[in-house]
Amino acid sequence: MIMYKAFQQHLQNQLDAISSDGLMKTERIITSPQSAAITLSNGSTVLNFCANNYLGLSDNPQIKAAAVQAIERYGYGMSSVRFICGTTDLHKALEATIAGYFGTEDTILYAACFDANGGVFEPLLTEEDAIISDTLNHASIIDGVRLCKAQRYKYNNADMVDLETQLTAASKARFRLIVTDGVFSMDGNTCPLDKILSLSEKYNAMIMVDESHSAGVVGRTGGGVTEHYNAKGQVEIITGTLGKAFGGAIGGFTTGKKEIIEVLRQKSRPYLFSNSIPPMVAAAGIEAFNLLSHSNELQEKLHHNTERFVSAMLTAGFNIKPTTSAICAVMLFDAKLSAKFAELLLSRGIYVRSFSFPVVPRDQARIRVQLSAAHSTEHILHAISAFIEVGKFLKVI
Ligand SMILES: *Cc1c(COP(=O)(O)O)cnc(C)c1O
């Protein structure tokens, strides 16, 4: 208790510094289901343009019904990890469904993609091997790589010249694994998977793609970057989340070559030592993939909404990062300006977040807009006119 006094002061100093840098993250409280229009705790209704609810499935009636039915039949939780007594027929069915969706051989579920990425490298690679990772890869990939003894190489975001340099530097390693996000979450660009595939052949390397932001979104049927680049079945490992396009609850997975998945079932620590996802989540996940297998309507609506928003914003004179996903980064560069912009948009009924250092580089502050199939044409037009109004008021355009 005496030591805590000093530690408390130490923590308070950090919090004060975060606050005075304008980097304090706060939570905004929502009192409605996640949807295109949401209610905030102050009673206001706003249009949500910052959810990962790309296909609008977070409050989908069929998915909700599947979850309710599963809770009635299987109860609430499994009270076990998978290999002791935490596997139901629903878990196996979801694994098979995910493999079918991505055109892969087998799938292993995790509590989240953070765990999938945290548990994928260490069981598969050792100090004799090399991981070659994009610098803008998700935090969970960075942490997963840290837990593994393999040699580490980094290449600049989507920079194929640099990737080639790193592959050359890693040429002595026994096995090489190139690791990339499918869609980079702050910019909205896709990884150049076609070029990565050619380099993997030239330099004899394997590939892992994290499809968290791309699955359900990119590609004609939402099959992710492997579909977009016509490369289904050609990468060894795919990781992804059920927490974004596919209903947005919780759950992650690794899908790919069957021997890889089998070794993960034997050795991956977040799988061996963490609880099984609840049956209701597995049932809802199966329903989400089933819905998507019947039609491309949601993907088409999402692509249409994204194109409409991006082209209107470019015409209005905004600086937008080139996007191939449902993420649209509106560049404002200055952190305070960006925060002010988001605040004024909220007062006009548009909920978006400003992103600044350390989430993006200094002087690269931006508002990240995420489009959804749940948005109607009126929602998109409302967002565009609010951006233009605030942009003019703040002299950005
Ligand atoms: C969101 C995200 C994750 C984490 O997924 P969770 O299931 O929420 O843990 C991992 N990787 C990428 C690229 C992501 O965008």
Side-chain angles (χ1 to χ4, degrees):
M1 276 319 237
I2 293 174
M3 178 164 280
Y4 188 65
K5 275 245 177 298
F7 190 59
Q8 189 177 34
Q9 191 56 54
H10 167 73
L11 297 179
Q12 195 56 52
N13 294 345
Q14 289 182 24
L15 291 169
D16 292 347
I18 292 170
S19 182
S20 69
D21 288 346
L23 300 174
M24 189 61 103
K25 285 177 264 318
T26 54
E27 297 174 344
R28 189 162 277 132
I29 295 160
I30 297 168
T31 57
S32 65
Q34 187 65 277
S35 194
I38 55 172
T39 312
L40 303 181
S41 56
N42 65 7
S44 66
T45 298
V46 294
L47 295 178
N48 192 351
F49 280 86
C50 56
N52 299 316
N53 185 21
Y54 293 121
L55 299 176
L57 297 181
S58 300
D59 63 342
N60 177 279
Q62 282 142 281
I63 292 177
K64 277 164 44 183
V68 170
Q69 274 166 25
I71 229 180
E72 295 294 352
R73 173 153 174 220
Y74 293 85
Y76 176 61
M78 289 310 295
S79 310
S80 175
V81 299
R82 283 289 298 278
F83 81 94
I84 298 179
C85 55
T87 301
T88 66
D89 48 347
L90 291 176
H91 293 88
K92 295 315 291 177
L94 177 57
E95 288 177 340
T97 303
I98 292 172
Y101 189 82
F102 289 96
T104 47
E105 294 174 2
D106 197 5
T107 304
I108 176 174
L109 295 172
Y110 289 87
C113 188
F114 208 104
D115 294 315
N117 287 335
V120 69
F121 302 105
E122 186 264 344
L124 298 174
L125 302 171
T126 71
E127 49 272 86
E128 292 178 75
D129 308 314
I131 298 170
I132 303 117
S133 180
D134 190 292
T135 43
L136 288 193
N137 279 343
H138 191 263
S140 55
I141 293 179
I142 295 170
D143 286 8
V145 171
R146 281 184 187 144
L147 294 171
C148 172
K149 295 205 168 66
Q151 303 153 39
R152 300 168 198 171
Y153 297 85
K154 284 196 289 192
Y155 63 97
N156 295 327
N157 178 232
D159 181 340
M160 294 297 102
V161 176
D162 197 17
L163 174 56
E164 189 156 9
T165 308
Q166 302 309 321
L167 281 164
T168 310
S171 64
K172 294 254 159 36
R174 177 182 56 171
F175 300 119
R176 279 166 294 283
L177 178 66
I178 303 168
V179 183
T180 180
D181 281 8
V183 161
F184 294 92
S185 63
M186 286 301 139
D187 291 2
N189 57 318
T190 45
C191 68
L193 189 60
D194 49 347
K195 303 200 179 71
I196 295 175
L197 274 162
S198 340
L199 286 176
S200 79
E201 269 160 39
K202 184 166 170 197
Y203 291 91
N204 195 18
M206 302 179 285
I207 301 176
M208 166 176 148
V209 182
D210 179 341
E211 294 262 29
S212 289
H213 274 290
S214 41
V217 174
V218 173
R220 200 181 55 82
T221 72
V225 290
T226 60
E227 181 185 53
H228 182 74
Y229 287 102
N230 230 339
K232 270 201 171 185
Q234 289 183 50
V235 309
E236 284 77 8
I237 303 171
I238 292 173
T239 59
T241 182
L242 301 175
K244 292 188 169 111
F246 305 116
I250 192 89
F253 55 85
T254 300
T255 189
K257 299 291 181 201
K258 61 181 191 299
E259 299 78 9
I260 291 177
I261 304 304
E262 194 48 46
V263 167
L264 294 177
R265 281 192 211 284
Q266 303 309 315
K267 294 170 61 178
S268 179
R269 294 167 71 84
Y271 176 85
L272 293 175
F273 297 105
S274 188
N275 209 21
S276 175
I277 60 166
M280 60 178 166
V281 169
I286 295 167
E287 185 61 24
F289 286 104
N290 275 347
L291 285 178
L292 298 178
S293 70
H294 292 134
S295 128
N296 291 332
E297 196 183 311
L298 294 175
Q299 276 85 16
E300 279 158 19
K301 179 125 180 267
L302 175 63
H303 296 159
H304 181 76
N305 281 347
T306 308
E307 278 155 31
R308 173 171 234 144
F309 182 79
V310 169
S311 73
M313 291 289 284
L314 287 171
T315 308
F318 283 101
N319 187 329
I320 309 263
K321 288 252 182 194
T323 179
T324 29
S325 64
I327 292 169
C328 175
V330 182
M331 300 305 295
L332 296 161
F333 306 102
D334 179 81
K336 292 217 167 80
L337 172 68
S338 186
K340 182 79 193 161
F341 206 116
E343 190 187 310
L344 291 174
L345 283 170
L346 189 66
S347 70
R348 283 161 179 77
I350 301 297
Y351 181 15
V352 288
R353 282 280 184 184
S354 161
F355 289 85
S356 48
F357 186 79
V359 180
V360 295
R362 279 189 206 281
D363 304 321
Q364 291 283 308
R366 69 197 63 185
I367 286 173
R368 180 177 73 173
V369 178
Q370 290 173 285
L371 284 305
S372 168
H375 293 133
S376 67
T377 305
E378 292 75 59
H379 294 155
I380 304 287
L381 295 177
H382 181 158
I384 294 164
S385 66
F387 262 97
I388 292 176
E389 228 177 276
V390 175
K392 285 184 175 153
F393 179 73
L394 293 177
K395 303 196 164 39
V396 171
I397 51 168

